[in-house]
Amino acid sequence: MNRLQILLEQGQSVWLDDLRRDMFASDELAEWIARGVRGLTSNPTTFEQAIARGVYDQALRDIGHSERLDQEVFESLAIEDVRRACDLFRPVYEGSRRRDGYVSLEVSPLLARDTARSLEEARRLWRAVDRPNVMIKVPGTAEGCGAIEQLLFEGINVNVTLLFSVAQYEAVATAHMRALQRRRAEGRALDAVASVASLFISRIDSTIDRLLVSRALNDGKLSGKTAIANAQLAYDSFMRLQAGADWQTLKEEGAMPQRLLWASTATKDPQYSDVKYLDALVGPHTVTTVPPKTLNAFIDHGSTAAQLPCDVESARMHLAALRRAEIELEVCAAQLEKDGIEKFAASYYSLLNAIHTKRAAVRRA
């Protein structure tokens, strides 16, 4: 039994944070599934990197003379890949009774502040992929929460992304609860819709550690601890929500919990263990998304010992110490959300430019 299978026995699912067309021809994705990977996520950055490496050159040559816009070309490539991945994960989806086996596809990052257009695009992508085990990724911004609730109410699976604080998570969890309560009130099935709430991990430590350095407080007492403390508090909130009477009523009628998903789990700072965030956040009712390099490291030398649930008093004390140092996590989280949207938007524009350049080369040939 490998480490991924041990995690699954403890209630944690591992999803791969990578999607490339060459994963199908080489059987790489099928091999990951055989090893215990239970789902897959994608985003504009990973597509941009794959296009830059030439993974999609043949596909772009095939459609280089098409009259479609570059955005439409990208979308057609992404949808085809997501469909194929969904089909590979379909046995996992069915065998887990819809708990796992999902493949995520993101709405345009340009719509993160637009509720109405996020709804429209999410519905369109859901119809275009036409697979029950696709999840549409929607940023958990204030504007996104309204779209998330409505999409879940309509029965569209949602991966809520770009969460950085407990307050953000709780707003998303409330939207999920309201959506299921509305479905229940209308007599709709509660077991037909799935969702995860993606809390970003390593980016938090990168930001807080820089602030600690600027205040000459990087003595090891506070650095490298905020991301895990934040995740522990979010998990504590999740557990309290699960124990509440409102959730128990929904659970009895078949509702699946909106699991916390640990995103951005690759270690950014080389002074920390390359599996730091995977080791620290093992626990039931969670998902962890991992890029291939980090996942291989975890399979080689990661720890599968359960760390959640835990006593969160030390986490609260850590955030209190940050406040005494005049570092407010909520303020940092708001900036990280803004930066995350801008980063994905930049990647989106970059990949469209790469598609445009490669298509232009085909036309000149």
Side-chain angles (χ1 to χ4, degrees):
M1 182 180 294
N2 67 35
R3 285 179 168 84
L4 306 190
Q5 294 163 336
I6 295 171
L7 291 183
L8 184 61
E9 286 199 343
Q10 297 184 160
Q12 183 173 78
S13 300
V14 174
W15 293 3
L16 188 68
D17 188 20
D18 193 25
L19 177 58
R20 296 168 279 106
R21 183 154 295 187
D22 56 341
M23 299 174 81
F24 303 108
S26 66
D27 289 331
E28 178 184 348
L29 185 54
E31 291 170 3
W32 275 121
I33 294 171
R35 295 173 76 181
V37 166
R38 307 282 289 177
L40 184 147
T41 59
S42 65
N43 60 59
T45 301
T46 57
F47 274 112
E48 176 203 10
Q49 293 167 348
I51 287 173
R53 292 197 305 272
V55 171
Y56 290 88
D57 281 1
Q58 184 58 54
L60 290 170
R61 282 193 290 270
D62 293 342
I63 57 177
H65 295 284
S66 167
E67 296 300 318
R68 285 181 291 179
L69 299 174
D70 295 327
Q71 178 180 344
E72 295 171 331
V73 169
F74 159 65
E75 194 171 284
S76 69
L77 295 174
I79 287 171
E80 182 180 346
D81 287 355
V82 169
R83 282 176 178 160
R84 293 177 69 181
C86 281
D87 291 342
L88 282 175
F89 276 104
R90 188 65 175 265
V92 176
Y93 171 76
E94 294 175 348
S96 65
R97 297 184 180 181
R98 298 186 292 278
R99 176 182 172 85
D100 283 317
Y102 293 96
V103 180
S104 296
L105 176 62
E106 191 154 5
V107 299
S108 168
L110 308 182
L111 306 180
R113 303 294 186 190
D114 192 325
T115 303
R117 291 181 64 198
S118 291
L119 270 171
E120 179 183 345
E121 177 149 324
R123 289 166 178 152
R124 183 174 57 78
L125 292 174
W126 172 263
R127 292 191 297 268
V129 175
D130 192 28
R131 298 292 190 275
N133 55 326
V134 66
M135 272 190 172
I136 306 302
K137 291 177 77 172
V138 180
T141 59
E143 298 85 354
C145 273
I148 290 159
E149 178 181 339
Q150 183 60 29
L151 291 168
L152 291 170
F153 168 71
E154 294 175 10
I156 295 174
N157 305 320
V158 178
N159 178 341
V160 185
T161 188
L162 285 179
L163 301 178
F164 295 95
S165 73
V166 176
Q168 284 178 297
Y169 162 67
E170 289 177 344
V172 165
T174 298
H176 175 256
M177 182 84 76
R178 283 198 303 260
L180 293 182
Q181 288 170 334
R182 289 170 58 195
R183 287 182 67 84
R184 180 174 181 267
E186 294 199 2
R188 301 190 185 193
L190 299 185
D191 63 352
V193 59
S195 180
V196 293
S198 298
L199 186 72
F200 281 53
I201 306 299
S202 64
R203 294 189 196 182
I204 292 174
D205 274 348
S206 297
T207 296
I208 299 298
D209 285 2
R210 282 196 297 271
L211 289 173
L212 291 170
V213 169
S214 72
R215 290 161 169 74
L217 295 170
N218 58 322
D219 56 3
K221 294 180 180 178
L222 295 176
S223 58
K225 299 177 181 178
T226 307
I228 292 170
N230 190 52
Q232 289 170 338
L233 290 169
Y235 188 80
D236 182 64
S237 180
F238 165 81
M239 294 296 288
R240 285 186 283 106
L241 181 68
Q242 294 291 298
D246 288 343
W247 175 254
Q248 290 300 314
T249 298
L250 295 170
K251 180 181 177 181
E252 288 170 3
E253 297 190 24
M256 292 186 288
Q258 181 189 54
R259 289 178 292 172
L260 271 164
L261 179 151
W262 313 127
S264 183
T265 55
T267 306
K268 302 285 194 294
D269 191 327
Q271 71 175 310
Y272 301 144
S273 164
D274 55 359
V275 291
K276 171 185 174 75
Y277 300 113
L278 278 72
D279 286 355
L281 296 173
V282 176
H285 306 296
T286 60
V287 178
T288 185
T289 54
V290 193
K293 181 179 178 181
T294 305
L295 187 50
N296 277 319
F298 179 79
I299 290 171
D300 179 67
H301 55 265
S303 170
T304 59
Q307 302 295 325
L308 300 170
C310 65
D311 182 358
V312 297
E313 186 56 33
S314 62
R316 294 192 182 101
M317 291 174 62
H318 175 78
L319 296 192
L322 289 180
R323 286 192 292 272
R324 289 194 294 273
E326 299 184 348
I327 297 174
E328 292 289 342
L329 183 55
E330 288 295 334
V331 174
C332 295
Q335 184 61 48
L336 281 164
E337 177 188 89
K338 180 176 180 293
D339 293 346
I341 292 169
E342 291 175 354
K343 178 182 177 181
F344 280 150
S347 293
Y348 185 71
Y349 283 126
S350 181
L351 76 86
L352 292 184
N353 182 64
I355 289 172
H356 181 82
T357 300
K358 288 178 182 290
R359 293 178 75 196
V362 169
R363 293 189 182 103
R364 290 194 300 269

